[in-house]
Amino acid sequence: MSTTKGDVKKNLEQKAYNMRANALRMTTQAGSGHPTSALSAADLVAALFFYGMGYDPHNPHNPENDRFILSKGHASPILYAAWKEVGILSDKDLQGYREFDSVLEGHSTMRFEHTEAATGSLGIGLSIGAGMALYAKMFKKKYRTFVLLGDSEITEGSVWEAAEVAAFYKLDNLVALLDCNRLGQSTETIHGHHLDRYAAKFEAFGWKTIKVDGHDMMQIMHALDKAQEADDHPTIILAKTVKGYGVEEAENKEGFHGKAFKKEELPAILKRLKERFADVEAEKLSKDILFEEGRYGAWQKQFGKQEYRNMTSIPDDIINNEKTEEQESNGCLITELKDPHYELGEMMPTRKAYGQALTDLGRVCDRVVSLDAEVKNSTFAELFEEKFPDRFVQCFIAEQNMISMGVGFELRGAVPFISTFASFFSRAFDQIRMAAIGQSNVRLVGSHAGVSIGQDGPSQMGLEDIALMRSLPGSIVLYPCDAVSTHRLVGQMAEYNQGISYLRTTRMATPVMYDLSQDFFIGGCHVLKKSDQDKVCVIGAGVTLFEALKAHDMLKKDGISISVIDLYSIKPIDAKTILECARASGNRIITVEDHYLEGGLGQAVAYEVRNTDINITCLAVTKLPRSGTPEELLAFEGIDADAIVKAVKSV
Amino acid sequence: MSTTKGDVKKNLEQKAYNMRANALRMTTQAGSGHPTSALSAADLVAALFFYGMGYDPHNPHNPENDRFILSKGHASPILYAAWKEVGILSDKDLQGYREFDSVLEGHSTMRFEHTEAATGSLGIGLSIGAGMALYAKMFKKKYRTFVLLGDSEITEGSVWEAAEVAAFYKLDNLVALLDCNRLGQSTETIHGHHLDRYAAKFEAFGWKTIKVDGHDMMQIMHALDKAQEADDHPTIILAKTVKGYGVEEAENKEGFHGKAFKKEELPAILKRLKERFADVEAEKLSKDILFEEGRYGAWQKQFGKQEYRNMTSIPDDIINNEKTEEQESNGCLITELKDPHYELGEMMPTRKAYGQALTDLGRVCDRVVSLDAEVKNSTFAELFEEKFPDRFVQCFIAEQNMISMGVGFELRGAVPFISTFASFFSRAFDQIRMAAIGQSNVRLVGSHAGVSIGQDGPSQMGLEDIALMRSLPGSIVLYPCDAVSTHRLVGQMAEYNQGISYLRTTRMATPVMYDLSQDFFIGGCHVLKKSDQDKVCVIGAGVTLFEALKAHDMLKKDGISISVIDLYSIKPIDAKTILECARASGNRIITVEDHYLEGGLGQAVAYEVRNTDINITCLAVTKLPRSGTPEELLAFEGIDADAIVKAVKSV
């Protein structure tokens, strides 16, 4: 039985009504949350879920599903209410909203399986969506990506980074929707209800814009139809909405952001909502009829009318949620990453070894993708681009968007390696933080670490990157000193799929000091010097390892013996080997690192040897650095061989 | 003697020629740097320094000087070359470019006194300039602010954050210049030489745009004149330039970014440069005549023709570089910050106490300014706004720009307090990093710290802020537990002028536990519980302090005594008191914090007690948190009173 567009419209309006009522129930039950931000978006989300998007409601992992990113993450009640309408969540599930044992968190996370991406920090969703859309272009997938934006978050610069890159890559499979409800958290937004101002901006950035009344379902449907037209431009549907739409006393008024209505108010609110929106006929219709319209209708034909029990309360095996091969690993299964051609003693910057390893990786794993922020000739991502231009993404100088696009790639099944200067990852640290919360496995590679970059000065020196990356839940932090260890560790990163991995590389050339027989693993280290007479165990990584080795030789001439550890894995850390080596070295450790003291390698080691009788001295960057030669700067900060010798002699 | 515009033009062209030659000499001498990026900007900078801007060349601290921010910091040779033309630097000074003992760093820093703001991480300069321009509006200063942008950095979202806010505040005293040289570091920019694309964007963001040929001096002069017209809009001069202009073989070609020309090439390059640009007549003219045109000419009349010896080589007392009262302290000298009205035991969130303290501070120091990212009703910056709307800056949801605008304010003499959620400072960490490199004294206040915020979930929880802020050179990190300590520490922050200060506040209400007689200072702590029988010293801060006190009482019932320290100053840290207290408590410490383990309070303490026989256990957030009640989450992470009791019993 077929239906008219008018029937569909009625049905969508009824869905929106149900969703509004549930968003109100959920937030009042929880006693917190953002009902008014959910209400303004209800019609847009209903239209997306039951008209504009096509997806297999049985299986969130179906790689052909259209994707939906709720960039305004605080409107989560409307997302959960939509999945309730789909049939995936029950009333009981909704009642658990924001509770400890529920997967329906205040801002949706990956704990709810139908969440496409963890959001909540504003201005990130469009980047994730752009990543997914570009993935679809790159890997020939037909899905479309939809991103719901709030109007307050449009001031975040990251939105314009995403807008720029999405237009550059002609992502006509990307559709953004702006829920322009005029009101922010504490004041009016910059442009209020002036859709023209938003339109001018997005058009200037190369987007197609469509303006609608965000509570006129037919207008929304038409806009979604129009957004289907592939014409080399991403589309944004600018929807004028009313914050709190459906609760008259809160509509379009300040003072209602992030406030649940009181339990005693709710019955009257729901009664008025019903009087205003409920349509018994439409409700009945939707029980009997398949609405074969829009992308949703086309997919419904394929999968049948949904009559699912709710997902969170039934055993996993009843639901077909098999993951695709891509999602299964989200890491490369590398059996044949070929050995590199490095000669012992050969001078080779680890950043270049990274570029070469990544290229080798590209050969054995076709899901490896490289993202660059216009420094590919510094990070040597250009080596990958030369071989695999189709899997190289130039993100230009816009690190925030680069990170979240990488998250979008990874969520769809790619193995993204994202590289820039170590210092510039600080530009995108909120995006990295959110990637960690979203349990993403993006691989980050930061070059130009430390004062050893020399003349360019402190703005270009990565000096806090270890501290930043260590703080992330589930992260690993690697810092190889030579080309061989870099090669091996890049392979390990590709396989690591339990969180964010970070590799730190060096600008200057360092000698190849490992032969290919040597093993490297996450959480490992190498004891490079060891004797029966060691007085101190010196621990370095990257450039400072060579200073430690120099110090070893200098001290030897004075008859002083030290052990030396290459701590190439800073997190996790091989505490066992460190302790053993320190105990065999007079119970003394000296760490030396080209990084600030706080949160760095030294304090990581100091923490591991707490509650022992091991004495530790940490040499690190403690003075604001400046331009100079690498040698001058290592000496200035007291992290060169001379400083190590001095420290050894004084302990 | 008066001059024609044509004479001025010739003179400016000659200056630009001299600057080009010197930029080439400097970079070749240094063997590194970005000559081609300097060459494209030479005409723009010459026009600014000797026509468009008015300033007292004797005194960089004159508060009426027009300001110049080199946002494309890698073009530093052109900045130094301009100061050479002014007469402030000598040939010998220029020869030291990028050397360890020179103040002329690869990317200019505050070590060179005429640097307005440290730059080098791209996309930040416009925000600093917007801060300075808004400061001028707020404090009735007549200076204008000029920002030179590169075209590559326009993709940084922070530029659009600044563009938005500058237009919102109608900063018609702000002039940006885009050096559109088409080429980035490794590839063409997104829009190449299409000035129209940039114009459309800036116009959509509310800017006045003027397009010029960036090597046509008369066009540049006209544009600078036009930019003078105050009309409620900031202006951008879009200049089509040629990268490497003046060195024919490098002009408009890829592969020359960040590469100094070789010593053996230089003589021929300089020879051709001279043939093409040098004008003996103009050179002679400039020796004899005052060019009383433009803002520069007007100031020249006031200060006389410059005939200075170079500044870096002569004693300080010869130069009039007296700082204004504002610059002298860059902190408030508070003699009379009145006592707050808090009763012991009163429940009061520290975030609210912050808002109240800031308001009190506003009363005694009229240079205090509050910057907010549209969360003023969460951070309680709204209390300040109510009393001092003219010193409150709504930056909307754009944290990056907010930080750098704060830097701009501070550089001009304000005492900015910048507040948002602790987690969202991670959004602007590169800007914070650059503020630290610029030795800025911005005050940051992060609310909603830790899992104790509860239901909103991990995206809103500040869990790495201590690690981030600790890593900054010169920073201090404060974390009060109650309203009284918050009040006192806000006062301390106002006076602190040695770097970035950070205060962490809590969402939930906590009881007032200090009376007004108690002292608080940077680097201090309070021992709250102490007896002769203490078995362990428990160290907490913020919410966990109250868990520690609860644990103290619970353990007392079991006959176990512990000491408790309120570590309200995490950096600097009062190691002496901690050690004393631990030694009197069975040589045992348990730290407990609502923050990730890595880089947090516990690891800071663990580092301080290294090389002692003190045993330490660190309780911290180690599992990815979720929505739930504060109590559930503190228990989940093992940082509540029960967890402390358990830890005490097990050590």
Side-chain angles (χ1 to χ4, degrees):
Chain A
M1 178 178 158
S2 184
T3 49
T4 66
K5 278 237 168 180
D7 292 338
V8 175
K9 169 181 169 284
K10 268 193 190 172
N11 181 45
L12 293 177
E13 286 169 345
Q14 178 66 11
K15 298 267 189 215
Y17 158 67
N18 290 340
M19 287 158 58
R20 283 198 164 87
N22 279 326
L24 287 163
R25 288 186 192 105
M26 289 167 76
T27 46
T28 293
Q29 168 77 23
S32 67
H34 301 76
T36 56
S37 305
L39 291 172
S40 63
D43 299 303
L44 295 170
V45 176
L48 275 172
F49 268 71
F50 303 103
Y51 181 76
M53 293 201 304
Y55 53 95
D56 173 359
H58 301 70
N59 180 11
H61 304 293
N62 186 322
E64 297 298 341
N65 283 351
D66 282 351
R67 327 304 321 184
F68 175 68
I69 315 287
L70 182 70
S71 187
K72 49 176 287 187
H74 54 290
S76 61
I78 212 67
L79 178 73
Y80 303 138
W83 284 109
K84 161 73 167 60
E85 292 304 300
V86 174
I88 294 299
L89 295 170
S90 69
D91 286 325
K92 187 159 165 285
D93 291 328
L94 297 190
Q95 280 164 28
Y97 178 55
R98 289 179 160 245
E99 287 181 8
F100 183 76
D101 291 326
S102 166
V103 297
L104 306 186
E105 297 205 49
H107 296 75
S108 72
T109 67
M110 307 314 275
R111 291 180 58 233
F112 174 53
E113 203 177 6
H114 290 265
T115 301
E116 290 278 0
T119 52
S121 188
L122 292 171
I124 293 181
L126 194 59
S127 297
I128 298 173
M132 290 185 175
L134 186 52
Y135 177 93
K137 295 263 179 194
M138 197 178 273
F139 290 92
K140 316 276 181 247
K141 303 285 182 191
K142 291 200 190 97
Y143 66 79
R144 296 173 74 77
T145 302
F146 296 85
V147 181
L148 183 68
L149 297 161
D151 49 351
S152 273
E153 68 177 315
I154 296 292
T155 39
E156 286 286 12
S158 52
V159 171
W160 299 105
E161 295 183 2
E164 183 79 276
V165 173
F168 181 82
Y169 284 106
K170 306 182 178 190
L171 299 180
D172 51 14
N173 56 352
L174 175 66
V175 180
L177 297 94
L178 180 69
D179 175 11
C180 184
N181 66 23
R182 192 183 72 82
L183 295 170
Q185 169 171 330
S186 70
T187 189
E188 190 177 13
T189 60
I190 281 191
H191 298 317
H193 264 148
H194 299 286
L195 294 187
D196 285 338
R197 291 300 307 274
Y198 293 106
K201 287 182 191 179
F202 276 97
E203 283 163 18
F205 274 74
W207 285 56
K208 190 166 82 175
T209 64
I210 307 170
K211 281 174 271 182
V212 299
D213 174 341
H215 302 305
D216 181 322
M217 198 56 84
M218 199 57 96
Q219 279 191 31
I220 301 171
M221 289 162 65
H222 285 155
L224 287 169
D225 289 344
K226 214 170 146 193
Q228 296 273 10
E229 296 158 15
D231 63 352
D232 287 352
H233 297 282
T235 299
I236 185 161
I237 298 172
L238 303 164
K240 183 176 173 178
T241 60
V242 174
K243 194 156 175 173
Y245 195 70
V247 181
E248 221 163 291
E249 61 269 37
E251 282 181 0
N252 202 21
K253 283 201 188 70
E254 292 195 21
F256 287 93
H257 180 93
K259 287 183 183 158
F261 294 97
K262 296 195 184 101
K263 285 216 165 100
E264 55 272 26
E265 299 171 321
L266 190 65
I269 287 171
L270 290 177
K271 185 164 173 283
R272 290 198 303 277
L273 193 76
K274 190 173 180 180
E275 287 162 7
R276 186 163 158 194
F277 294 108
D279 181 337
V280 183
E281 189 198 339
E283 184 74 31
K284 223 180 126 200
L285 252 179
S286 75
K287 284 204 164 51
D288 302 324
I289 297 171
L290 274 179
F291 292 95
E292 296 172 351
E293 293 283 341
R295 288 174 70 83
Y296 178 73
W299 275 65
Q300 245 195 351
K301 272 189 228 173
Q302 185 180 339
F303 290 104
K305 188 163 165 62
Q306 70 276 16
E307 283 176 13
Y308 322 109
R309 292 155 61 193
N310 75 78
M311 215 164 153
T312 51
S313 345
I314 55 173
D316 274 355
D317 58 352
I318 297 186
I319 298 163
N320 168 17
N321 64 355
E322 269 179 39
K323 297 192 177 187
T324 59
E325 187 204 321
E326 280 92 342
Q327 264 107 15
E328 198 58 56
S329 75
N330 264 6
C332 285
L333 302 170
I334 300 156
T335 47
E336 287 294 332
L337 182 59
K338 67 166 189 180
D339 281 346
H341 298 290
Y342 296 121
E343 301 289 328
L344 280 174
E346 180 185 350
M347 295 303 287
M348 172 66 57
T350 53
R351 59 186 171 129
K352 188 163 184 186
Y354 158 67
Q356 290 171 343
L358 188 66
T359 310
D360 286 348
L361 200 63
R363 289 195 184 94
V364 296
C365 178
D366 60 10
R367 290 184 287 116
V368 169
V369 173
S370 165
L371 289 87
D372 169 54
E374 233 286 62
V375 287
K376 66 187 180 193
N377 51 349
S378 290
T379 61
F380 284 98
E382 66 180 2
L383 300 179
F384 182 90
E385 183 191 22
E386 277 165 28
K387 295 287 177 195
F388 308 104
D390 296 343
R391 284 191 271 142
F392 175 83
V393 184
Q394 181 51 267
C395 298
F396 298 94
I397 305 184
E399 295 80 4
Q400 298 188 86
N401 177 62
M402 174 169 69
I403 295 293
S404 301
M405 274 185 72
V407 170
F409 268 92
E410 199 268 343
L411 282 163
R412 300 308 336 120
V415 178
F417 277 76
I418 305 175
S419 50
T420 185
F421 281 32
S423 57
F424 300 146
F425 279 120
S426 66
R427 192 57 156 270
F429 195 65
D430 191 27
Q431 280 78 5
I432 295 171
R433 179 182 78 90
M434 286 302 299
I437 288 172
Q439 296 171 273
S440 172
N441 305 319
V442 289
R443 284 87 177 162
L444 310 179
V445 179
S447 68
H448 293 68
V451 300
S452 67
I453 70 162
Q455 289 80 354
D456 271 339
S459 63
Q460 317 294 302
M461 297 169 176
L463 287 166
E464 57 293 297
D465 53 319
I466 294 175
L468 265 59
M469 299 301 180
R470 278 183 66 224
S471 77
L472 302 165
S475 68
I476 62 171
V477 178
L478 307 170
Y479 186 16
C481 67
D482 83 338
V484 168
S485 51
T486 302
H487 188 92
R488 296 292 190 223
L489 291 173
V490 168
Q492 297 272 323
M493 284 173 87
E495 292 183 33
Y496 183 72
N497 62 0
Q498 301 300 305
I500 287 170
S501 49
Y502 176 63
L503 183 96
R504 186 179 214 230
T505 68
T506 300
R507 178 175 184 273
M508 61 163 72
T510 51
V512 172
M513 51 167 289
Y514 288 110
D515 67 45
L516 296 171
S517 66
Q518 235 141 345
D519 273 344
F520 293 85
F521 54 92
I522 293 166
C525 69
H526 278 304
V527 181
L528 295 181
K529 298 287 177 185
K530 200 177 171 180
S531 76
D532 291 342
Q533 282 83 42
D534 296 333
K535 304 292 180 216
V536 183
C537 169
V538 175
I539 302 176
V543 284
T544 60
L545 180 70
F546 296 98
E547 300 301 318
L549 292 172
K550 258 187 260 171
H552 172 273
D553 295 348
M554 289 158 73
L555 288 160
K556 207 168 190 181
K557 288 179 192 155
D558 295 339
I560 302 169
S561 197
I562 61 171
S563 57
V564 176
I565 292 180
D566 174 10
L567 193 66
Y568 62 80
S569 175
I570 298 174
K571 180 185 176 188
I573 192 166
D574 185 354
K576 189 166 162 283
T577 302
I578 291 172
L579 287 168
E580 278 170 13
C581 190
R583 289 207 172 99
S585 308
N587 267 354
R588 291 190 199 93
I589 289 175
I590 293 172
T591 62
V592 54
E593 66 190 303
D594 194 359
H595 181 278
Y596 288 137
L597 176 68
E598 292 85 359
L601 179 154
Q603 294 199 338
V605 173
Y607 180 73
E608 294 303 327
V609 301
R610 74 194 183 281
N611 309 343
T612 68
D613 56 353
I614 293 168
N615 184 292
I616 182 167
T617 300
C618 299
L619 306 180
V621 176
T622 54
K623 287 179 280 191
L624 187 60
R626 55 169 74 171
S627 291
T629 65
E631 297 70 28
E632 284 168 332
L633 291 165
L634 292 173
F636 176 64
E637 298 291 352
I639 54 172
D640 64 352
D642 286 341
I644 298 168
V645 166
K646 203 174 144 196
V648 168
K649 287 185 176 172
S650 76
V651 296
Chain B
M1 177 180 159
S2 186
T3 48
T4 66
K5 279 236 168 179
D7 291 337
V8 176
K9 169 180 169 286
K10 267 194 190 171
N11 182 46
L12 293 177
E13 285 169 346
Q14 180 66 10
K15 297 266 189 216
Y17 159 67
N18 289 340
M19 288 158 61
R20 283 198 165 89
N22 278 326
L24 287 162
R25 288 186 192 106
M26 289 166 76
T27 46
T28 293
Q29 168 77 22
S32 67
H34 301 77
T36 56
S37 305
L39 292 173
S40 64
D43 300 303
L44 296 170
V45 176
L48 275 172
F49 267 70
F50 303 102
Y51 180 77
M53 294 200 305
Y55 53 97
D56 173 0
H58 302 70
N59 180 12
H61 304 294
N62 185 324
E64 297 298 339
N65 281 354
D66 282 351
R67 326 304 321 184
F68 175 68
I69 314 287
L70 183 70
S71 187
K72 50 175 289 186
H74 54 291
S76 61
I78 212 68
L79 177 73
Y80 304 137
W83 285 109
K84 161 71 168 60
E85 292 304 301
V86 174
I88 294 298
L89 295 170
S90 68
D91 285 326
K92 187 160 166 282
D93 292 327
L94 297 190
Q95 279 166 27
Y97 180 53
R98 289 181 162 243
E99 285 182 9
F100 184 77
D101 292 324
S102 166
V103 297
L104 307 185
E105 298 205 48
H107 295 75
S108 73
T109 67
M110 306 315 275
R111 290 179 58 233
F112 174 52
E113 205 179 5
H114 290 266
T115 300
E116 290 278 1
T119 52
S121 187
L122 292 171
I124 292 181
L126 194 59
S127 298
I128 297 173
M132 290 185 175
L134 186 52
Y135 176 93
K137 296 262 178 194
M138 197 179 270
F139 291 92
K140 317 275 183 250
K141 303 284 181 193
K142 291 200 191 96
Y143 66 79
R144 297 174 72 77
T145 302
F146 297 84
V147 181
L148 183 67
L149 298 160
D151 51 349
S152 273
E153 67 177 316
I154 297 291
T155 40
E156 287 286 12
S158 52
V159 171
W160 299 105
E161 294 183 2
E164 183 78 276
V165 173
F168 180 82
Y169 284 106
K170 305 183 179 185
L171 301 180
D172 50 14
N173 55 353
L174 175 66
V175 180
L177 297 95
L178 179 69
D179 175 11
C180 184
N181 67 22
R182 192 182 73 82
L183 294 171
Q185 170 171 330
S186 72
T187 189
E188 190 177 13
T189 60
I190 281 191
H191 297 317
H193 263 148
H194 299 285
L195 294 187
D196 285 338
R197 291 300 308 276
Y198 293 107
K201 287 182 192 179
F202 277 96
E203 283 163 18
F205 273 75
W207 285 54
K208 190 167 81 174
T209 63
I210 306 169
K211 281 173 273 184
V212 299
D213 174 341
H215 303 306
D216 181 322
M217 197 57 84
M218 199 56 98
Q219 281 191 32
I220 301 171
M221 289 162 65
H222 285 156
L224 288 169
D225 289 342
K226 214 169 147 192
Q228 297 272 12
E229 296 160 13
D231 64 352
D232 287 354
H233 296 282
T235 299
I236 185 161
I237 297 171
L238 303 164
K240 183 174 172 180
T241 61
V242 174
K243 194 158 177 171
Y245 194 70
V247 181
E248 219 163 294
E249 60 270 37
E251 281 182 2
N252 202 20
K253 284 201 187 70
E254 293 195 21
F256 287 92
H257 180 93
K259 286 182 184 159
F261 294 97
K262 296 196 186 99
K263 286 217 165 102
E264 56 272 25
E265 298 170 322
L266 191 65
I269 287 172
L270 290 177
K271 185 165 173 279
R272 289 198 302 275
L273 194 75
K274 190 174 180 182
E275 287 162 6
R276 187 164 157 192
F277 294 107
D279 182 338
V280 182
E281 188 197 340
E283 184 73 32
K284 220 179 128 199
L285 253 178
S286 74
K287 285 204 165 53
D288 304 323
I289 298 171
L290 274 179
F291 293 94
E292 296 171 351
E293 294 282 339
R295 289 174 70 83
Y296 178 72
W299 276 64
Q300 244 195 351
K301 273 188 229 175
Q302 184 179 339
F303 290 103
K305 188 161 165 61
Q306 68 276 14
E307 283 176 16
Y308 322 110
R309 292 156 59 192
N310 75 79
M311 212 162 157
T312 51
S313 343
I314 55 174
D316 274 357
D317 57 352
I318 299 187
I319 298 163
N320 168 19
N321 64 355
E322 269 179 40
K323 297 191 178 188
T324 61
E325 187 202 326
E326 281 93 343
Q327 264 108 15
E328 199 56 57
S329 75
N330 264 6
C332 287
L333 302 171
I334 300 157
T335 47
E336 286 295 330
L337 182 58
K338 68 167 192 179
D339 281 348
H341 298 289
Y342 296 121
E343 301 289 327
L344 280 176
E346 180 186 349
M347 296 302 288
M348 173 64 59
T350 52
R351 58 185 171 128
K352 189 165 183 185
Y354 158 66
Q356 289 171 345
L358 188 65
T359 310
D360 286 348
L361 200 64
R363 288 195 185 93
V364 296
C365 179
D366 62 9
R367 290 184 288 116
V368 169
V369 173
S370 164
L371 290 88
D372 170 54
E374 232 284 63
V375 288
K376 65 186 181 194
N377 52 349
S378 291
T379 60
F380 284 98
E382 65 180 4
L383 300 179
F384 182 90
E385 184 191 22
E386 279 165 26
K387 296 285 177 198
F388 308 104
D390 295 342
R391 285 190 271 142
F392 175 82
V393 185
Q394 181 51 266
C395 298
F396 298 93
I397 306 185
E399 295 80 5
Q400 297 186 88
N401 177 61
M402 174 170 67
I403 296 293
S404 301
M405 273 185 72
V407 171
F409 268 90
E410 200 268 341
L411 281 163
R412 300 308 336 121
V415 178
F417 277 77
I418 306 176
S419 50
T420 186
F421 282 34
S423 56
F424 301 145
F425 279 121
S426 66
R427 191 59 154 270
F429 195 65
D430 192 26
Q431 279 78 5
I432 296 171
R433 179 182 78 90
M434 286 302 299
I437 288 173
Q439 296 170 274
S440 172
N441 304 319
V442 289
R443 284 84 176 165
L444 311 179
V445 179
S447 68
H448 294 68
V451 300
S452 68
I453 69 160
Q455 289 81 354
D456 271 339
S459 64
Q460 316 295 302
M461 297 168 177
L463 288 165
E464 57 293 297
D465 53 321
I466 294 174
L468 265 58
M469 300 301 179
R470 277 183 67 223
S471 76
L472 301 165
S475 67
I476 62 171
V477 179
L478 307 170
Y479 184 16
C481 67
D482 83 338
V484 168
S485 51
T486 302
H487 188 91
R488 296 291 191 224
L489 292 172
V490 168
Q492 297 273 323
M493 284 172 85
E495 293 183 34
Y496 183 72
N497 63 0
Q498 300 301 305
I500 288 170
S501 49
Y502 176 65
L503 182 96
R504 188 180 212 228
T505 68
T506 300
R507 177 175 184 274
M508 61 162 72
T510 51
V512 173
M513 51 168 287
Y514 288 109
D515 66 45
L516 296 171
S517 66
Q518 233 139 347
D519 272 345
F520 292 85
F521 55 92
I522 292 166
C525 69
H526 278 303
V527 181
L528 296 180
K529 299 286 177 186
K530 199 176 171 182
S531 76
D532 291 343
Q533 283 83 41
D534 294 334
K535 304 291 182 218
V536 182
C537 168
V538 176
I539 302 176
V543 287
T544 60
L545 180 70
F546 296 98
E547 300 300 318
L549 292 172
K550 258 188 259 172
H552 172 272
D553 295 348
M554 290 159 72
L555 287 161
K556 207 167 190 180
K557 287 178 193 155
D558 294 340
I560 301 170
S561 197
I562 61 171
S563 56
V564 175
I565 292 180
D566 175 9
L567 193 64
Y568 63 79
S569 175
I570 298 174
K571 181 186 176 188
I573 192 166
D574 185 354
K576 187 167 163 280
T577 303
I578 291 171
L579 287 168
E580 277 169 15
C581 190
R583 289 209 171 99
S585 307
N587 267 354
R588 289 190 200 92
I589 289 175
I590 293 173
T591 62
V592 53
E593 67 191 302
D594 194 358
H595 180 278
Y596 288 137
L597 176 68
E598 292 85 0
L601 179 154
Q603 294 199 338
V605 173
Y607 180 73
E608 294 303 327
V609 302
R610 72 194 184 281
N611 308 344
T612 68
D613 56 352
I614 293 167
N615 184 294
I616 182 167
T617 301
C618 299
L619 307 180
V621 176
T622 53
K623 286 180 280 191
L624 187 61
R626 55 168 75 170
S627 292
T629 65
E631 297 71 26
E632 285 168 331
L633 291 166
L634 292 173
F636 176 64
E637 298 291 352
I639 54 172
D640 64 353
D642 286 342
I644 297 168
V645 166
K646 204 174 142 196
V648 168
K649 289 184 175 172
S650 76
V651 295

